[in-house]
Structures are given as C-alpha cells and as structure tokens.
Amino acid sequence: MIFLVVIALAVALAAHPVVRRLTRRLERLETSVNALGEGDLSSRVSVQGCDEIANLAHSFNRAARRIESLVNSHRMLLANASHELRTPLARIRMALELQKKNPDPNREAELEADIAELDHLIDEILTASRLDATVGLPSSEEVDLLALTAEECARYEACAFQDDATLMGGDAALMRGDPRLLRRLVRNLLENARRHGTAPYEVSITREGGLLRLAVCDHGRGIPPAERERIFEPFYRLAGSAGNVGTGLGLSLVRQIARRHGGDAEVGERPGGGTCISVTLLANELAG
C-alpha cells in the first residue's frame, strides 16, 4: 500500500504541471469567451501549441473576427444609410411644401424621381444586409449568364455586348447561382458605367478555365489606382463625384454577390482610356 501511495503521489506530482498548463489555457479561453459575450468584440485568445485546445483557440479567434466584422459592417451600414436617406427625404419634404403653396406639374416628376431613388436605396440596403447576415446563397439553380447579360444589356442603347467564340454554343456560359442576385450584379455594373462613365459601354463574357469573366468597360476618365479597391466599400464615392449620383452601394453589392458565387470583382483600365470592371464567377464544368 505504501508503495502504491508513493507511485500515485509521484504520478500526481509529475502530471500536475502538465494539467495546470492545460487548465490555464482553458481558463484564458473561458475569459475571452466571457469577454466576447459581454460585448468586447476585440477579444482574442493567444494560441499556444498544436493540440486540440490550440485548434479550439483558432476556431474561437476566427468566429470572433467574423462577429466583429459583421457587427462593424452593420454599424457602418446603419450610420451611412441614415445619412443617405436624409437627402431624398429632405428633397421630398421640400417639394411637398412647395407643391402645397404653388402646384407645379414639373415638380410632380421630380417627386416621383426622388421617391424612386429612395426606394432603390432602401432595396440596396436590404440586399446588402441580407447578404451580410446569411451564409451561402438564398437559392441556387442553373443560370445562363450569356442570356441574362444580353437581356440586361438590351435595356441600354449605348451598350455593345460581345461574347467569346467558345461561348457561342451557350453551354459554356452556364453556372449555378441565384438568378435574382446575378441579375442585380449585371444591372449594377451597367448602371455604374452609365452614371460614372461615358458611352459606349462594352460588355464581354469570356471563359478562363473554371471561371466565367464578365467585364463592363466604359470610355470615361478612369479610376485612379489608389481608389480602385475603395470603390467596393459601401457608400464610398470618388472624389469629384456628384453627391446625388447613385447610392454608393452598387459596386459593394457586386463584389459581395461575386464572392458568393465563387469569384471576385476588380477594377482595371480600358485600353485606349476608360474603366473596366470585371467579375469572375464559378462556371459549370463543360459537358464531355
């Protein structure tokens, strides 16, 4: 019995530092979880070792970063949205007051335009909020990007649509995705070219391996390299842009939608002058 007690004590003394090191790491993880739950979104855990506790710490840090990013994104969206909504609302309020005192048929058209702008802004905000709050796509079905883009391009007189010769059969431009979001992506690209570029607008679709590349180019003054990433930020407008042109959410939604479909969005220069905004999307595999 004395021998067994001695062995037990020896094992306990030898294991205590190891167990205590593990429990301290778990205590630090618990402290960070409690801090995050109390609202400290910057709370992180220092990762030590490469065991299960280290994997748990990595998972916690990833989740904390995601939560912090979502909350900050929603805060910024709310702050910017409240500012952007004031402009059309103020114009509508003023027009209504003037209309009461001095009715003018032309002012009714301005009111309708302001209401349409307000409706479009609210729709963009709700779409951005839904994309932030969900994982994956709201719906997924086979979409012919070639046909969808041609339909949207037909709405603009100055739009010239071209497709790669390998896509003439149609099957190579098929992809799985949400048709409503993809239509919003194409429409936002064309609206951005119309508002901020110069006609004509050149639209093209090419296939690059397993990706489809949709490019919309205009003949405008171009975008400075330092601002080419910033234009994808919500409510960001280029220096010198008119304050009431667009919602500032169009290209942000384009990038969000592209990333939900396995691709991304980027800005480049058009040969000869102008801007090209191109979007990559995950394509279906070619049959055979």
Side-chain angles (χ1 to χ4, degrees):
M1 289 294 295
I2 294 174
F3 179 70
L4 291 175
V5 170
V6 170
I7 292 177
L9 287 173
V11 170
L13 290 172
H16 180 267
V18 177
V19 173
R20 184 55 188 149
R21 188 162 58 249
L22 291 174
T23 55
R24 275 199 299 266
R25 293 165 64 194
L26 288 172
E27 287 168 2
R28 286 196 294 268
L29 180 59
E30 181 185 13
T31 301
S32 296
V33 170
N34 290 334
L36 183 68
E38 290 171 1
D40 182 8
L41 301 180
S42 63
S43 176
R44 300 290 186 273
V45 182
S46 60
V47 181
Q48 299 175 348
C50 55
D51 54 8
E52 286 78 5
I53 296 178
N55 292 335
L56 183 60
H58 275 299
S59 298
F60 170 79
N61 287 341
R62 281 196 301 271
R65 282 193 295 271
R66 176 62 176 161
I67 292 170
E68 184 178 25
S69 174
L70 283 174
V71 171
N72 289 337
S73 175
H74 284 160
R75 284 174 179 169
M76 185 177 68
L77 185 66
L78 181 61
N80 285 313
S82 61
H83 173 74
E84 294 291 331
L85 287 169
R86 286 193 186 101
T87 302
L89 283 174
R91 290 202 304 266
I92 290 170
R93 187 181 295 111
M94 184 179 294
L96 287 173
E97 290 297 326
L98 291 172
Q99 194 72 357
K100 289 178 185 176
K101 297 176 181 178
N102 183 22
D104 184 356
N106 295 328
R107 196 172 292 123
E108 291 183 9
E110 295 175 2
L111 269 171
E112 290 177 0
D114 286 335
I115 292 171
E117 178 188 343
L118 188 62
D119 182 65
H120 179 65
L121 175 58
I122 292 172
D123 186 43
E124 297 272 74
I125 291 171
L126 290 175
T127 303
S129 181
R130 281 195 296 267
L131 286 174
D132 277 339
T134 59
V135 177
L137 294 170
S139 66
S140 181
E141 60 185 73
E142 194 168 72
V143 178
D144 187 343
L145 185 64
L146 197 67
L148 186 150
T149 304
E151 289 174 8
E152 290 300 312
C153 196
R155 300 171 64 242
Y156 299 83
E157 292 183 2
C159 182
F161 179 55
Q162 302 171 348
D163 60 87
D164 189 274
T166 60
L167 301 179
M168 292 304 290
D171 291 343
L174 295 178
M175 59 174 291
R176 290 206 65 82
D178 186 317
R180 185 181 61 84
L181 289 179
L182 290 170
R183 191 173 294 278
R184 170 64 63 85
L185 179 148
V186 176
R187 188 168 297 178
N188 281 7
L189 286 173
L190 291 170
E191 279 296 306
N192 181 77
R194 183 183 67 81
R195 285 178 172 142
H196 304 288
T198 303
Y201 318 118
E202 300 164 356
V203 181
S204 62
I205 295 179
T206 55
R207 179 156 183 141
E208 301 175 359
L211 295 174
L212 292 172
R213 180 175 292 275
L214 167 66
V216 177
C217 303
D218 62 64
H219 292 68
R221 59 187 176 91
I223 299 174
E227 296 191 81
R228 288 179 185 172
E229 273 300 305
R230 296 205 63 192
I231 65 170
F232 293 107
E233 296 176 7
F235 298 103
Y236 180 77
R237 292 187 177 94
L238 290 172
S241 297
N244 60 348
V245 177
T247 63
L249 277 173
L251 292 182
S252 174
L253 282 175
V254 165
R255 173 166 277 183
Q256 282 183 282
I257 295 169
R259 288 178 173 175
R260 290 297 178 92
H261 289 82
D264 208 341
E266 60 184 8
V267 181
E269 293 182 7
R270 176 187 170 276
T275 301
C276 275
I277 300 179
S278 61
V279 172
T280 53
L281 303 163
L282 193 63
N284 284 359
E285 290 299 322
L286 289 170

